[in-house]
Amino acid sequence: MAKIVAVLFLALFAMSILATTVLATNGKHHHSKKHGPGSLNPSQCQPQCTRRCSKTQYHKPCMFFCQKCCNKCLCVPPGFYGNKSVCPCYNNWKTKEGGPKCP
């Protein structure tokens, strides 16, 4: 009887370690696609741009260009400013004058 209990305990322990490993792996994968090229659906652009433009005094133009860039790149960098290297398409889209198109 003691051997059966020990075997069941070891099996339960092994399954919990396996479940923890799988959850940790899934969490890392999900986190890596939170930002970056193609990480958004077009329907997610408006809330992400609202976040991105929330601290600027030029809210309307920021929202206009952010949504335009998001719809093309399906990516909005994290934070309120900078971090554009996370979204190369967003970072590299330039105006006719050569300035950044995306906020």
Side-chain angles (χ1 to χ4, degrees), residues 18-87:
L18 180 64
T20 303
T21 304
V22 168
L23 287 173
T25 303
N26 286 342
K28 286 180 186 174
H29 176 73
H30 177 70
H31 181 69
S32 68
K33 287 301 280 177
K34 186 173 181 180
H35 302 288
S39 62
L40 298 175
N41 295 322
S43 63
Q44 295 172 305
C45 287
Q46 204 268 332
Q48 288 298 316
C49 287
T50 299
R51 173 196 50 80
R52 179 89 175 161
C53 297
S54 65
K55 294 196 175 184
T56 182
Q57 60 182 340
Y58 305 106
H59 187 73
K60 274 189 170 183
C62 181
M63 287 295 291
F64 176 80
F65 286 108
C66 180
Q67 289 183 28
K68 187 172 189 150
C69 294
C70 180
N71 284 321
K72 178 182 179 190
C73 302
L74 296 178
C75 178
V76 175
F80 306 107
Y81 183 79
N83 303 314
K84 291 184 181 181
S85 61
V86 175
C87 302

